Amino acid sequence: MVSNPERRAALVDAGVEVLAREGARGLTFRAVDTEAGVPVGTASNYFTGRDDLLRQIDAWLHQRLAPDPEVVADLLTRPKDRALVTAFMHDLMGRATRDRTGYLALLEMRLEATRRPELLASYTRSVRGDLEEGMEFHRSAGLPGGDETVVVLYLAMLGLILEHLTLPDVLNGVLPAVDVPDALVERIVATVVPEN
């Protein structure tokens, strides 16, 4: 295997683009090479196979889509109440909207994991790790609600992100005078997170 970290990163990013645009079936080394603008055969020099590429895409997406530490630090200066949880959920929604490709690739990873037991195991570990990290963050930050609150927020926000990124017109106009997705983020938090 060739060791050029910059080239590997460019190939993984190209893999994210292909995965989001064409789905897992379109994720071939040739497609990644084409997307990255490198000679055919380059990706096969960097990854042992498709599973290796998918694992590296998974790892990269969890870094790429993570909250900005400066934004988190700034938000944590606020009172630890429902309004702060709302601000964190708006940040999450904003990141999903700004990096639609990254989130669509994550959704494709979920679908592919249902078909590939080896990917299912590793992807489950990474998503479970993110959820557990979110619960720990919630506890250590002193935010209202416990682990169950975080799990329900996770599920509700995942559904909203899925709908907003894939079929945005489903929710538009269904609830009159409700701004999608911003007002829905606020309603989710108001419903799930207890007041202090």
Side-chain angles (χ1 to χ4, degrees):
M1 289 291 112
V2 178
S3 179
N4 177 334
E6 294 81 20
R7 174 65 60 91
R8 181 181 301 276
L11 290 166
V12 171
D13 266 332
V16 169
E17 294 294 323
V18 171
L19 188 59
R21 185 179 61 244
E22 299 178 29
R25 291 184 184 215
L27 185 68
T28 64
F29 283 167
R30 182 178 291 275
V32 170
D33 289 339
T34 300
E35 181 69 29
V38 298
V40 172
T42 303
S44 63
N45 290 324
Y46 283 84
F47 308 103
T48 58
R50 244 174 122 247
D51 288 344
D52 182 30
L53 175 59
L54 285 166
R55 277 191 299 276
Q56 291 193 41
I57 288 172
D58 176 33
W60 169 233
L61 282 173
H62 284 82
Q63 291 175 20
R64 173 174 158 170
L65 301 172
D68 180 331
E70 290 181 15
V71 170
V72 172
D74 181 56
L75 288 173
L76 285 174
T77 63
R78 300 180 185 182
K80 310 304 187 272
D81 56 12
R82 185 191 281 169
L84 178 57
V85 176
T86 303
F88 277 119
M89 294 305 105
H90 278 298
D91 177 63
L92 170 61
M93 196 70 206
R95 286 183 283 119
T97 302
R98 286 188 303 274
D99 192 353
R100 183 175 184 270
T101 298
Y103 275 88
L104 288 177
L106 272 182
L107 294 172
E108 286 292 342
M109 293 282 291
R110 283 178 177 272
L111 293 172
E112 186 64 6
T114 66
R115 300 177 200 102
R116 302 168 69 95
E118 63 284 351
L119 181 59
L120 180 62
S122 69
Y123 192 67
T124 298
R125 276 192 304 277
S126 68
V127 172
R128 174 73 181 256
D130 285 348
L131 180 57
E132 289 174 349
E133 188 177 302
M135 291 187 294
E136 175 56 35
F137 174 81
H138 199 89
R139 286 191 301 267
S140 66
L143 296 170
D147 289 351
E148 184 176 309
T149 299
V150 176
V151 170
V152 175
L153 272 177
Y154 161 76
L155 294 170
M157 290 300 297
L158 180 62
L160 179 57
I161 289 169
L162 171 67
E163 204 69 29
H164 184 64
L165 295 183
T166 60
L167 298 171
D169 290 336
V170 167
L171 295 176
N172 286 332
V174 170
L175 300 172
V178 173
D179 182 41
V180 177
D182 294 331
L184 287 176
V185 168
E186 293 175 19
R187 289 198 182 181
I188 287 170
V189 175
T191 301
V192 173
V193 179
E195 290 189 54
N196 283 5

